[in-house]
Amino acid sequence: MILQALVDYYERKRAIDPGAVAPAGWEYREIAFFIDVGADGSAVLVDRRSPERRRGEPLLVPAAQIRSGNDAWKHPNLLWEHMGFVFGWQKRKPDGSPDPADNPDKVAKQHRAFRDRLSALAAHHPDSVGLQAIQRFYETTAFAELQPADVREALRGGQGFNLTFRLRGAVEPVCHEQWVAKECALEQPSDEPGNAVAGGACLVTGKVGAIARLHPKISFVTQKPSPLVAANTNEAPAYGSYGKAQALNAPVSTEAASQYTLALNALLGRGSPNKVQIGDATTAIWADREDAVEADLVGLFDDDPDAHVNAVKQRLEGARSGSRGADDTALRFFVLGMAPNASRIAVRFWFHETFERLGPRILQHFDDLRIVRQSDRDAATPALYWLLRSIAPQGKANNIPPRLAGEWMRAILEGNPYPPALLNAAVNRCRAEQASDGFGGNVPYLRAAILKACINREHRRRHGLPQEFQFIREELDVNQTDPGYRLGRLFAVLERIQSAAQPGINATIRDRYYGAASSTPGAVFPTLMRLKNAHLKKLAPGLESFFEKLVGEICGSLEQPALDEFPRQLNLHAQGLFALGYYHQRQSLYARKDAANTETDTDTDNDTQKD
């Protein structure tokens, strides 16, 4: 299903715009430098890089050879390569010295294989002016003297820059000459003995053709391109089936393999509107036909979901009411989640669903996240990337727990409860950063949003409640009776009493007691309640009365106690509720303070006007 959907996407894109994706046997590659060669073999380097494209502009070139292992040097690409193949130059370290990891013998073999292939092509295509010029270039040019010198040094000091040849004065590179198309044509099966290209029916398209023994590689998922489909090369019987070995177990034609690879590389390319990168998970999202809502749906997982939420809502409402037509409800989306792996790309999840079912699930995710904001600078619709960073140690993307991004994405798309590791990570960060204001305190806005969404989704699952039910509301809920939530509220009030009694205090009870209060309240709150009594005596009578009433409302009365005792321990779920109660109550107290300050300023302005 994955390969079939990608092949369908390829064919649709080619039918609409042949330049949108490369034809089979070709691909778009970032080419950093041209080698402009003259008929006499002289040459100059041309830099194709820019601030926006530091590895060069994409160029249509023959598809890269499938190579791996110790024999990779034997398979140079057609008329384009990196400097090891083209010039025989060894990679350099940042200080300019040769990189010992780049074996000089291997580089020499690469260069020889590249030149041997060019010589064979020149003999086979004697009418090619470009090939003859390239041959003279290798016979007469001293590579170390290529000009301009600064461009040459930029090439030698870079990592993995690709080069190709162009005749001086021409616009197109040599690899665009007519004869190259025949060289790029996909292999065809043959009945000749010993032929390596087997024929058969393709499982993806149903057509009979050459079967791909090895599949092309996908870029932009792992550090180095890796295949999405790989067959075990071991010839042991355990890896065979009905006498079929390697890729013949699940035959995919070379044409289909090329097409799905080109389609996926286009979906994942730099600047692609269909790609979402969150943590170690790389996700491609596309629709089964051209539609503007595709960009809006993908944008919900980008850095600014606010810009797309309303568009998706309006489209869903129009589809349901019939004002947009029945086609909107039948629009199908495909979501492919991938992650790096040892030998090939790992598929984390594969999901396909209609827009009328997928859209509400994603919007429900944002509804579950919605919580009162700390400031107007906080995004009303927080992005997944920033949410994950809020639970990563030191707020660094590299510290996001592995696999968590993919599991969370899958839960959103399927409308299921979030992974337990998400609640665990959020609670642990609240405790670990209790004395830090660098991330907005121990329970900042983004972390509180995660806790609310995790707890609400799990509560609905346990009790079989509808999706719109919110166990924890967006703002402070004084009617919420859960002990963990009330203990969090009480802790926020006690902290506020201390701050009011000791203005300018550097460290509050939060800095010393938050972790213990949220996990073992029975050991901490009796002490905090005694401190509260001492702090209340320092307050003005009106403020003292206000806080006494607030503490009484949270704890309840002797006749109707809301917190008749402090639990010895709180489990992970209750610790999340503690953090939410603390966050809600703290925001309510500071909002009350801001409102009081605003009223005071207004009264002062009125008095001034009267005077």
Side-chain angles (χ1 to χ4, degrees):
M1 181 64 183
I2 298 176
L3 303 188
Q4 186 179 24
L6 288 169
V7 169
D8 290 343
Y9 176 83
Y10 173 86
E11 293 176 344
R12 173 163 57 88
K13 283 294 183 180
R14 288 283 296 172
I16 296 173
D17 179 12
V21 287
W26 297 75
E27 65 176 302
Y28 284 102
R29 279 279 178 153
E30 293 172 322
I31 303 296
F33 299 91
F34 274 150
I35 305 172
D36 275 8
V37 294
D40 58 352
S42 61
V44 294
L45 285 171
V46 178
D47 194 341
R48 302 184 73 245
R49 298 174 301 162
S50 65
E52 295 77 23
R53 291 281 188 176
R54 298 185 180 275
R55 303 189 65 83
E57 293 292 331
L59 183 71
L60 184 65
V61 295
Q65 295 291 307
I66 303 174
R67 58 195 186 199
S68 62
N70 295 329
D71 292 336
W73 61 270
K74 296 181 179 179
H75 307 285
N77 294 322
L78 178 59
L79 291 171
W80 67 274
E81 265 295 356
H82 58 73
M83 66 180 183
F85 280 94
V86 178
F87 295 127
W89 287 344
Q90 191 177 359
K91 293 178 183 177
R92 289 181 175 180
K93 296 165 65 176
D95 61 3
S97 61
D99 187 351
D102 198 21
N103 190 299
D105 293 337
K106 182 194 70 175
V107 174
K109 291 178 179 178
Q110 289 175 341
H111 183 56
R112 175 51 55 191
F114 187 75
R115 292 184 61 171
D116 288 346
R117 187 175 189 189
L118 287 175
S119 297
L121 288 170
H124 194 252
H125 301 282
D127 297 333
S128 170
V129 179
L131 279 176
Q132 302 306 320
I134 294 171
Q135 285 297 96
R136 295 189 190 96
F137 162 76
Y138 277 112
E139 294 169 357
T140 62
T141 303
F143 302 150
E145 298 175 0
L146 275 173
Q147 299 297 320
D150 58 332
V151 178
R152 181 184 69 237
E153 292 307 310
L155 168 61
R156 298 206 67 174
Q159 293 289 328
F161 288 140
N162 291 320
L163 309 90
T164 191
F165 295 91
R166 184 177 65 176
L167 278 175
R168 189 172 300 159
V171 176
E172 297 294 328
V174 176
C175 64
H176 286 185
E177 291 185 357
Q178 290 185 355
W179 61 268
V180 180
K182 295 181 180 179
E183 296 289 337
C184 294
L186 299 175
E187 295 178 294
Q188 297 300 319
S190 173
D191 295 331
E192 296 179 8
N195 185 54
V197 182
C202 175
L203 292 182
V204 178
T205 63
K207 300 177 182 177
V208 176
I211 301 303
R213 187 178 67 86
L214 298 175
H215 287 230
K217 296 181 179 180
I218 308 298
S219 302
F220 309 109
V221 176
T222 57
Q223 189 173 8
K224 292 183 178 180
S226 300
L228 181 67
V229 178
N232 197 307
T233 58
N234 196 318
E235 297 297 334
Y239 300 109
S241 176
Y242 295 99
K244 305 293 185 180
Q246 287 188 285
L248 296 180
N249 280 330
V252 177
S253 67
T254 55
E255 181 181 20
S258 176
Q259 289 177 349
Y260 87 71
T261 301
L262 290 168
L264 191 51
N265 279 329
L267 289 166
L268 300 178
R270 288 188 177 90
S272 170
N274 300 87
K275 176 183 177 180
V276 178
Q277 182 70 54
I278 304 172
D280 66 340
T282 302
T283 304
I285 305 175
W286 71 97
D288 64 353
R289 59 180 168 82
E290 297 297 311
D291 198 295
V293 78
E294 180 183 77
D296 287 315
L297 195 75
V298 178
L300 293 178
F301 297 101
D302 213 338
D303 292 338
D304 186 17
D306 281 338
H308 305 277
V309 167
N310 287 335
V312 174
K313 285 182 177 178
Q314 291 173 5
R315 192 64 178 272
L316 282 170
E317 292 170 358
R320 288 166 179 165
S321 65
S323 61
R324 300 283 307 200
D327 288 345
D328 281 0
T329 58
L331 179 65
R332 182 172 291 274
F333 277 87
F334 302 94
V335 186
L336 176 61
M338 296 158 286
N341 200 11
S343 58
R344 64 172 180 84
I345 294 171
V347 176
R348 285 281 179 83
F349 54 87
W350 165 245
F351 190 81
H352 54 94
E353 190 56 273
T354 58
F355 175 62
E356 67 171 345
R357 299 186 63 180
L358 183 61
R361 293 175 186 172
I362 300 175
L363 294 178
Q364 182 63 50
H365 158 73
F366 293 115
D367 287 341
D368 289 336
L369 288 172
R370 191 165 293 112
I371 195 169
V372 58
R373 294 181 286 170
Q374 284 181 303
S375 70
D376 294 336
R377 296 188 300 272
D378 293 325
T381 312
L384 208 59
Y385 171 76
W386 293 107
L387 289 165
L388 283 165
R389 281 190 57 173
S390 73
I391 59 173
Q394 300 178 329
K396 295 182 179 179
N398 293 338
N399 294 333
I400 294 173
R403 298 183 61 88
L404 183 57
E407 292 175 2
W408 194 4
M409 186 86 161
R410 181 172 185 170
I412 294 170
L413 297 172
E414 294 180 348
N416 292 333
Y418 294 149
L422 185 61
L423 177 62
N424 185 49
V427 169
N428 286 340
R429 295 322 303 166
C430 289
R431 298 183 59 187
E433 293 167 3
Q434 61 192 47
S436 171
D437 287 323
F439 304 96
N442 57 317
V443 192
Y445 166 65
L446 293 177
R447 212 172 291 152
I450 293 174
L451 291 169
K452 172 180 175 286
C454 287
I455 290 173
N456 277 343
R457 288 208 169 200
E458 181 61 22
H459 185 84
R460 291 198 296 262
R461 183 192 69 83
R462 288 181 181 180
H463 301 280
L465 297 169
Q467 291 294 325
E468 60 273 11
F469 181 82
Q470 297 286 326
F471 176 62
I472 298 297
R473 299 181 180 178
E474 183 177 347
E475 296 182 347
L476 176 66
D477 183 5
V478 297
N479 297 318
Q480 177 58 256
T481 59
D482 185 272
Y485 186 84
R486 289 204 170 239
L487 285 169
R489 289 184 59 197
L490 179 60
F491 189 81
V493 172
L494 297 179
E495 180 190 20
R496 189 71 188 93
I497 292 173
Q498 182 189 31
S499 299
Q502 298 175 316
I505 186 173
N506 291 327
T508 66
I509 59 172
R510 180 194 72 185
D511 302 288
R512 291 187 58 188
Y513 294 108
Y514 179 88
S518 64
S519 57
T520 55
V524 174
F525 270 94
T527 301
L528 297 180
M529 295 298 283
R530 288 195 298 270
L531 288 174
K532 177 262 299 180
N533 294 331
H535 292 146
L536 284 174
K537 295 177 182 179
K538 301 177 182 179
L539 301 180
L543 196 57
E544 178 185 4
S545 176
F546 166 75
F547 281 119
E548 286 279 18
K549 290 180 180 179
L550 186 54
V551 170
E553 180 264 316
I554 295 172
C555 296
S557 62
L558 291 176
E559 295 79 13
Q560 293 181 328
L563 283 174
D564 52 350
E565 62 178 6
F566 298 119
R568 292 183 60 187
Q569 289 183 326
L570 294 180
N571 59 24
L572 184 68
H573 182 267
Q575 289 180 45
L577 286 166
F578 180 97
L580 285 170
Y582 172 79
Y583 178 84
H584 270 156
Q585 187 64 65
R586 198 163 185 261
Q587 292 308 116
S588 177
L589 289 171
Y590 278 98
R592 184 186 299 273
K593 178 183 176 182
D594 293 340
N597 291 339
T598 303
E599 291 174 3
T600 302
D601 294 340
T602 304
D603 293 341
T604 303
D605 293 340
N606 291 338
D607 293 340
T608 303
Q609 291 174 5
K610 290 178 183 178
D611 293 341

